[in-house]
Amino acid sequence: MWTFIKYDVKQRLRDRATLFWMLLFPLILIFGLGTMLSAVFSDTFKLPVTNVAYVEASTDQYREPLENFLNDEDIQAFIRLVPYEDIASAEQGVNDGDADVILRLDGSDITLLYEEPTTVEFDVLEAILGQYTAIANQQITLTESGLSAPYENEAWLDTESVDLAGRTPSSLEYFTVTISIMTALFGSFYITAMAREEQPNTGSYLRIQAAPVRTIQYRLARTFSRYVIILLQLILLFWFSHFVYRTFDLANIQFGYLILAWLALTAYGVAIGFVIVNLPKLSTTTKDAVVNGFVAIIMILSGGYVPGFDQVTLNYAPWAAYVFMPIFMRDGMLAVMLRGGDMSVYWESLGLLGVHLLIFIVLSYLLSKGVRRYGTH
């Protein structure tokens, strides 16, 4: 079977159409989309305004210094306080989209509540409040000791605590991951093409019948060879993007986890291909069109072509975060390619992908039973 794998890989690599779709097309997409939409992202990350739901149950001794600090002109450039009476109303405000995070002042305790701890805006806010707390505690200690020290508002920021270098994707980094996911999905075309070559009364079909191996071994070998080709595409995309455009700092990338994500993505594309191949009563041409339409719709709704459109999708269909693979896998892959990524996001993404794979395998098996029973058109 290994001989068939090597032979089929060589045959694919000799095919001009395969080389175009495997090498040139994804690289053209990286360059074209990255250039056209470079205004959406930039290498210099600028924080948007974060609406903070503010719940206060304290005394003037602790309330006034905190509010004066947060109402400073420099802080208001990216933090806007939205007062609420209690936590319940603040949570409702977050759910309604009127606030992004909850800040609670209870006595002398400052608590930051949020659902997305990996969001950079929240990390910055947490770092700022952490430094404010340290400064406030220092002032309290000096006062209790009968001493005093002037507070310089200009020195409140420790740049190392809120350093964003390597933590937010540039345009090309964003699209490198997005196009990798799209390439894996388009890998379904290799599977539908393989099935088309096995149609009766074709040269490929007759060669399969004459081969001195069982049909199942031949199909496994050809499936594995196409898996290898899709995997090579993902690897080439990454290295082209890095060496040509200097995307992603290699010191920040966790390569073991990244390779595992590539392997899983490739398996996803192959599984999708087999599901579509086994759809009953559809011609091979129609199945190719199904692949194209499926990938296009999923990528559009997941913000693959228009960054930020995934938020529109999630606003109307929150369940899409668990169903649309590009949404959760993009965040998962970025978690192991950027500095300070949250590994829990990565493992959650990989777990969801594994569930999808199991569903597709079962669905493909059930559909194949139906195809063998009723035949195809």
Side-chain angles (χ1 to χ4, degrees), residues 331-364:
D331 292 337
M333 292 181 69
L334 286 173
V336 297
M337 299 175 78
L338 299 174
R339 180 171 63 87
D342 188 347
M343 288 302 297
S344 65
V345 174
Y346 171 80
W347 288 117
E348 181 182 352
S349 300
L350 216 59
L352 287 172
L353 191 72
V355 171
H356 285 212
L357 277 174
L358 290 175
I359 292 173
F360 289 145
I361 290 171
V362 172
L363 185 60
S364 178

mmCIF file of all heavy atoms in Angstrom, residues 331-364:
data_model
loop_
_atom_site.group_PDB
_atom_site.id
_atom_site.type_symbol
_atom_site.label_atom_id
_atom_site.label_comp_id
_atom_site.label_asym_id
_atom_site.label_seq_id
_atom_site.Cartn_x
_atom_site.Cartn_y
_atom_site.Cartn_z
ATOM 1 N N ASP A 331 -9.568 31.138 16.498
ATOM 2 C CA ASP A 331 -9.148 31.571 17.831
ATOM 3 C C ASP A 331 -8.203 30.551 18.468
ATOM 4 O O ASP A 331 -7.237 30.918 19.139
ATOM 5 C CB ASP A 331 -10.375 31.766 18.732
ATOM 6 C CG ASP A 331 -11.237 32.931 18.289
ATOM 7 O OD1 ASP A 331 -10.701 33.831 17.611
ATOM 8 O OD2 ASP A 331 -12.440 32.951 18.608
ATOM 9 N N GLY A 332 -8.496 29.271 18.265
ATOM 10 C CA GLY A 332 -7.647 28.233 18.838
ATOM 11 C C GLY A 332 -6.241 28.242 18.274
ATOM 12 O O GLY A 332 -5.262 28.105 19.014
ATOM 13 N N MET A 333 -6.115 28.411 16.952
ATOM 14 C CA MET A 333 -4.786 28.427 16.332
ATOM 15 C C MET A 333 -4.010 29.678 16.717
ATOM 16 O O MET A 333 -2.810 29.617 16.982
ATOM 17 C CB MET A 333 -4.921 28.317 14.810
ATOM 18 C CG MET A 333 -5.435 26.966 14.335
ATOM 19 S SD MET A 333 -5.563 26.839 12.543
ATOM 20 C CE MET A 333 -3.826 26.847 12.075
ATOM 21 N N LEU A 334 -4.692 30.820 16.763
ATOM 22 C CA LEU A 334 -4.017 32.057 17.167
ATOM 23 C C LEU A 334 -3.514 31.966 18.602
ATOM 24 O O LEU A 334 -2.514 32.593 18.962
ATOM 25 C CB LEU A 334 -4.948 33.253 17.000
ATOM 26 C CG LEU A 334 -5.205 33.709 15.561
ATOM 27 C CD1 LEU A 334 -6.275 34.789 15.522
ATOM 28 C CD2 LEU A 334 -3.920 34.220 14.913
ATOM 29 N N ALA A 335 -4.196 31.170 19.438
ATOM 30 C CA ALA A 335 -3.793 31.030 20.837
ATOM 31 C C ALA A 335 -2.410 30.403 20.973
ATOM 32 O O ALA A 335 -1.702 30.663 21.952
ATOM 33 C CB ALA A 335 -4.822 30.203 21.604
ATOM 34 N N VAL A 336 -2.005 29.571 19.991
ATOM 35 C CA VAL A 336 -0.684 28.936 20.066
ATOM 36 C C VAL A 336 0.320 29.590 19.117
ATOM 37 O O VAL A 336 1.450 29.114 18.984
ATOM 38 C CB VAL A 336 -0.775 27.425 19.759
ATOM 39 C CG1 VAL A 336 -1.622 26.729 20.803
ATOM 40 C CG2 VAL A 336 -1.319 27.166 18.359
ATOM 41 N N MET A 337 -0.097 30.678 18.450
ATOM 42 C CA MET A 337 0.809 31.358 17.524
ATOM 43 C C MET A 337 1.153 32.773 17.976
ATOM 44 O O MET A 337 2.082 33.383 17.437
ATOM 45 C CB MET A 337 0.173 31.410 16.129
ATOM 46 C CG MET A 337 -0.099 30.030 15.548
ATOM 47 S SD MET A 337 -0.985 30.051 13.968
ATOM 48 C CE MET A 337 0.336 30.464 12.844
ATOM 49 N N LEU A 338 0.413 33.302 18.953
ATOM 50 C CA LEU A 338 0.680 34.634 19.472
ATOM 51 C C LEU A 338 1.176 34.550 20.904
ATOM 52 O O LEU A 338 0.991 33.538 21.587
ATOM 53 C CB LEU A 338 -0.590 35.496 19.410
ATOM 54 C CG LEU A 338 -1.178 35.733 18.017
ATOM 55 C CD1 LEU A 338 -2.502 36.471 18.126
ATOM 56 C CD2 LEU A 338 -0.202 36.518 17.135
ATOM 57 N N ARG A 339 1.784 35.610 21.361
ATOM 58 C CA ARG A 339 2.339 35.628 22.714
ATOM 59 C C ARG A 339 1.220 35.686 23.747
ATOM 60 O O ARG A 339 0.277 36.445 23.630
ATOM 61 C CB ARG A 339 3.265 36.845 22.886
ATOM 62 C CG ARG A 339 3.905 36.951 24.268
ATOM 63 C CD ARG A 339 4.958 38.057 24.258
ATOM 64 N NE ARG A 339 4.373 39.361 23.996
ATOM 65 C CZ ARG A 339 3.878 40.154 24.950
ATOM 66 N NH1 ARG A 339 3.864 39.750 26.204
ATOM 67 N NH2 ARG A 339 3.384 41.334 24.634
ATOM 68 N N GLY A 340 1.364 34.863 24.773
ATOM 69 C CA GLY A 340 0.403 34.893 25.873
ATOM 70 C C GLY A 340 -0.953 34.329 25.530
ATOM 71 O O GLY A 340 -1.955 34.699 26.152
ATOM 72 N N GLY A 341 -1.032 33.422 24.533
ATOM 73 C CA GLY A 341 -2.321 32.838 24.169
ATOM 74 C C GLY A 341 -2.875 31.941 25.267
ATOM 75 O O GLY A 341 -2.116 31.336 26.041
ATOM 76 N N ASP A 342 -4.185 31.851 25.330
ATOM 77 C CA ASP A 342 -4.863 31.044 26.340
ATOM 78 C C ASP A 342 -5.011 29.614 25.819
ATOM 79 O O ASP A 342 -5.750 29.360 24.866
ATOM 80 C CB ASP A 342 -6.237 31.646 26.640
ATOM 81 C CG ASP A 342 -6.917 30.972 27.821
ATOM 82 O OD1 ASP A 342 -6.444 29.900 28.247
ATOM 83 O OD2 ASP A 342 -7.923 31.506 28.321
ATOM 84 N N MET A 343 -4.320 28.657 26.437
ATOM 85 C CA MET A 343 -4.359 27.277 25.963
ATOM 86 C C MET A 343 -5.733 26.645 26.137
ATOM 87 O O MET A 343 -6.068 25.690 25.434
ATOM 88 C CB MET A 343 -3.308 26.445 26.707
ATOM 89 C CG MET A 343 -1.876 26.758 26.305
ATOM 90 S SD MET A 343 -1.598 26.517 24.529
ATOM 91 C CE MET A 343 -1.906 24.765 24.366
ATOM 92 N N SER A 344 -6.528 27.153 27.063
ATOM 93 C CA SER A 344 -7.863 26.594 27.223
ATOM 94 C C SER A 344 -8.705 26.840 25.968
ATOM 95 O O SER A 344 -9.539 26.006 25.596
ATOM 96 C CB SER A 344 -8.554 27.202 28.451
ATOM 97 O OG SER A 344 -8.771 28.592 28.276
ATOM 98 N N VAL A 345 -8.477 27.973 25.295
ATOM 99 C CA VAL A 345 -9.178 28.260 24.037
ATOM 100 C C VAL A 345 -8.745 27.264 22.967
ATOM 101 O O VAL A 345 -9.568 26.758 22.187
ATOM 102 C CB VAL A 345 -8.898 29.706 23.578
ATOM 103 C CG1 VAL A 345 -9.507 29.965 22.205
ATOM 104 C CG2 VAL A 345 -9.434 30.703 24.587
ATOM 105 N N TYR A 346 -7.447 26.962 22.931
ATOM 106 C CA TYR A 346 -6.924 26.002 21.956
ATOM 107 C C TYR A 346 -7.552 24.619 22.153
ATOM 108 O O TYR A 346 -8.029 23.995 21.203
ATOM 109 C CB TYR A 346 -5.410 25.917 22.076
ATOM 110 C CG TYR A 346 -4.780 24.807 21.269
ATOM 111 C CD1 TYR A 346 -4.558 24.963 19.902
ATOM 112 C CD2 TYR A 346 -4.420 23.606 21.876
ATOM 113 C CE1 TYR A 346 -3.982 23.938 19.162
ATOM 114 C CE2 TYR A 346 -3.847 22.574 21.140
ATOM 115 C CZ TYR A 346 -3.631 22.745 19.787
ATOM 116 O OH TYR A 346 -3.064 21.727 19.058
ATOM 117 N N TRP A 347 -7.538 24.136 23.386
ATOM 118 C CA TRP A 347 -8.063 22.790 23.650
ATOM 119 C C TRP A 347 -9.575 22.732 23.431
ATOM 120 O O TRP A 347 -10.107 21.710 22.974
ATOM 121 C CB TRP A 347 -7.707 22.353 25.062
ATOM 122 C CG TRP A 347 -6.258 22.035 25.226
ATOM 123 C CD1 TRP A 347 -5.353 22.657 26.033
ATOM 124 C CD2 TRP A 347 -5.518 21.010 24.534
ATOM 125 N NE1 TRP A 347 -4.101 22.101 25.897
ATOM 126 C CE2 TRP A 347 -4.174 21.087 24.986
ATOM 127 C CE3 TRP A 347 -5.863 20.055 23.589
ATOM 128 C CZ2 TRP A 347 -3.184 20.225 24.517
ATOM 129 C CZ3 TRP A 347 -4.874 19.190 23.119
ATOM 130 C CH2 TRP A 347 -3.560 19.281 23.580
ATOM 131 N N GLU A 348 -10.273 23.807 23.751
ATOM 132 C CA GLU A 348 -11.706 23.838 23.484
ATOM 133 C C GLU A 348 -11.973 23.765 21.988
ATOM 134 O O GLU A 348 -12.876 23.044 21.535
ATOM 135 C CB GLU A 348 -12.320 25.113 24.066
ATOM 136 C CG GLU A 348 -13.819 25.218 23.844
ATOM 137 C CD GLU A 348 -14.406 26.508 24.388
ATOM 138 O OE1 GLU A 348 -13.674 27.252 25.082
ATOM 139 O OE2 GLU A 348 -15.586 26.777 24.127
ATOM 140 N N SER A 349 -11.174 24.486 21.203
ATOM 141 C CA SER A 349 -11.333 24.462 19.748
ATOM 142 C C SER A 349 -11.056 23.072 19.195
ATOM 143 O O SER A 349 -11.793 22.558 18.342
ATOM 144 C CB SER A 349 -10.387 25.477 19.098
ATOM 145 O OG SER A 349 -10.649 26.783 19.546
ATOM 146 N N LEU A 350 -9.984 22.449 19.689
ATOM 147 C CA LEU A 350 -9.629 21.114 19.210
ATOM 148 C C LEU A 350 -10.682 20.092 19.616
ATOM 149 O O LEU A 350 -10.980 19.162 18.857
ATOM 150 C CB LEU A 350 -8.254 20.720 19.762
ATOM 151 C CG LEU A 350 -7.346 19.901 18.830
ATOM 152 C CD1 LEU A 350 -7.083 20.678 17.542
ATOM 153 C CD2 LEU A 350 -6.044 19.560 19.515
ATOM 154 N N GLY A 351 -11.248 20.264 20.809
ATOM 155 C CA GLY A 351 -12.309 19.362 21.245
ATOM 156 C C GLY A 351 -13.543 19.470 20.366
ATOM 157 O O GLY A 351 -14.147 18.451 19.984
ATOM 158 N N LEU A 352 -13.938 20.696 20.039
ATOM 159 C CA LEU A 352 -15.082 20.899 19.143
ATOM 160 C C LEU A 352 -14.809 20.296 17.767
ATOM 161 O O LEU A 352 -15.695 19.681 17.161
ATOM 162 C CB LEU A 352 -15.388 22.386 19.011
ATOM 163 C CG LEU A 352 -16.038 23.058 20.223
ATOM 164 C CD1 LEU A 352 -16.098 24.571 20.028
ATOM 165 C CD2 LEU A 352 -17.447 22.510 20.431
ATOM 166 N N LEU A 353 -13.574 20.465 17.288
ATOM 167 C CA LEU A 353 -13.216 19.893 15.984
ATOM 168 C C LEU A 353 -13.313 18.372 16.031
ATOM 169 O O LEU A 353 -13.774 17.736 15.074
ATOM 170 C CB LEU A 353 -11.804 20.322 15.588
ATOM 171 C CG LEU A 353 -11.407 20.019 14.140
ATOM 172 C CD1 LEU A 353 -12.150 20.939 13.193
ATOM 173 C CD2 LEU A 353 -9.903 20.193 13.951
ATOM 174 N N GLY A 354 -12.879 17.768 17.145
ATOM 175 C CA GLY A 354 -12.966 16.322 17.291
ATOM 176 C C GLY A 354 -14.408 15.832 17.268
ATOM 177 O O GLY A 354 -14.724 14.804 16.646
ATOM 178 N N VAL A 355 -15.307 16.569 17.927
ATOM 179 C CA VAL A 355 -16.727 16.213 17.910
ATOM 180 C C VAL A 355 -17.268 16.288 16.484
ATOM 181 O O VAL A 355 -18.001 15.392 16.023
ATOM 182 C CB VAL A 355 -17.530 17.145 18.845
ATOM 183 C CG1 VAL A 355 -19.024 16.920 18.670
ATOM 184 C CG2 VAL A 355 -17.118 16.921 20.296
ATOM 185 N N HIS A 356 -16.904 17.344 15.762
ATOM 186 C CA HIS A 356 -17.336 17.473 14.361
ATOM 187 C C HIS A 356 -16.839 16.296 13.531
ATOM 188 O O HIS A 356 -17.583 15.752 12.698
ATOM 189 C CB HIS A 356 -16.804 18.781 13.768
ATOM 190 C CG HIS A 356 -17.539 19.988 14.241
ATOM 191 N ND1 HIS A 356 -17.729 21.112 13.458
ATOM 192 C CD2 HIS A 356 -18.137 20.270 15.411
ATOM 193 C CE1 HIS A 356 -18.416 22.016 14.119
ATOM 194 N NE2 HIS A 356 -18.664 21.522 15.328
ATOM 195 N N LEU A 357 -15.584 15.909 13.739
ATOM 196 C CA LEU A 357 -15.018 14.798 12.968
ATOM 197 C C LEU A 357 -15.792 13.508 13.214
ATOM 198 O O LEU A 357 -16.089 12.766 12.268
ATOM 199 C CB LEU A 357 -13.544 14.605 13.338
ATOM 200 C CG LEU A 357 -12.533 15.515 12.635
ATOM 201 C CD1 LEU A 357 -11.142 15.298 13.205
ATOM 202 C CD2 LEU A 357 -12.531 15.249 11.134
ATOM 203 N N LEU A 358 -16.104 13.225 14.464
ATOM 204 C CA LEU A 358 -16.866 12.017 14.779
ATOM 205 C C LEU A 358 -18.236 12.033 14.103
ATOM 206 O O LEU A 358 -18.693 11.019 13.561
ATOM 207 C CB LEU A 358 -17.021 11.884 16.297
ATOM 208 C CG LEU A 358 -15.753 11.538 17.082
ATOM 209 C CD1 LEU A 358 -16.030 11.556 18.576
ATOM 210 C CD2 LEU A 358 -15.223 10.166 16.658
ATOM 211 N N ILE A 359 -18.883 13.184 14.129
ATOM 212 C CA ILE A 359 -20.199 13.311 13.485
ATOM 213 C C ILE A 359 -20.088 13.068 11.983
ATOM 214 O O ILE A 359 -20.905 12.346 11.382
ATOM 215 C CB ILE A 359 -20.803 14.699 13.771
ATOM 216 C CG1 ILE A 359 -21.147 14.830 15.259
ATOM 217 C CG2 ILE A 359 -22.046 14.934 12.908
ATOM 218 C CD1 ILE A 359 -21.588 16.215 15.664
ATOM 219 N N PHE A 360 -19.055 13.658 11.348
ATOM 220 C CA PHE A 360 -18.888 13.497 9.903
ATOM 221 C C PHE A 360 -18.556 12.047 9.541
ATOM 222 O O PHE A 360 -19.005 11.539 8.500
ATOM 223 C CB PHE A 360 -17.796 14.427 9.386
ATOM 224 C CG PHE A 360 -18.195 15.881 9.383
ATOM 225 C CD1 PHE A 360 -17.262 16.869 9.668
ATOM 226 C CD2 PHE A 360 -19.488 16.258 9.108
ATOM 227 C CE1 PHE A 360 -17.621 18.198 9.677
ATOM 228 C CE2 PHE A 360 -19.866 17.589 9.112
ATOM 229 C CZ PHE A 360 -18.925 18.561 9.397
ATOM 230 N N ILE A 361 -17.767 11.381 10.372
ATOM 231 C CA ILE A 361 -17.419 9.983 10.095
ATOM 232 C C ILE A 361 -18.670 9.111 10.145
ATOM 233 O O ILE A 361 -18.915 8.281 9.261
ATOM 234 C CB ILE A 361 -16.362 9.487 11.102
ATOM 235 C CG1 ILE A 361 -15.013 10.177 10.821
ATOM 236 C CG2 ILE A 361 -16.206 7.975 11.012
ATOM 237 C CD1 ILE A 361 -13.974 9.919 11.884
ATOM 238 N N VAL A 362 -19.481 9.300 11.184
ATOM 239 C CA VAL A 362 -20.718 8.521 11.308
ATOM 240 C C VAL A 362 -21.673 8.846 10.157
ATOM 241 O O VAL A 362 -22.261 7.944 9.543
ATOM 242 C CB VAL A 362 -21.395 8.802 12.667
ATOM 243 C CG1 VAL A 362 -22.768 8.159 12.726
ATOM 244 C CG2 VAL A 362 -20.518 8.308 13.810
ATOM 245 N N LEU A 363 -21.813 10.131 9.850
ATOM 246 C CA LEU A 363 -22.707 10.546 8.773
ATOM 247 C C LEU A 363 -22.246 9.994 7.435
ATOM 248 O O LEU A 363 -23.057 9.514 6.624
ATOM 249 C CB LEU A 363 -22.777 12.076 8.726
ATOM 250 C CG LEU A 363 -23.748 12.704 7.731
ATOM 251 C CD1 LEU A 363 -25.174 12.245 8.024
ATOM 252 C CD2 LEU A 363 -23.664 14.225 7.785
ATOM 253 N N SER A 364 -20.944 10.039 7.190
ATOM 254 C CA SER A 364 -20.401 9.511 5.936
ATOM 255 C C SER A 364 -20.653 8.015 5.828
ATOM 256 O O SER A 364 -21.011 7.500 4.754
ATOM 257 C CB SER A 364 -18.903 9.808 5.864
ATOM 258 O OG SER A 364 -18.343 9.283 4.687
#
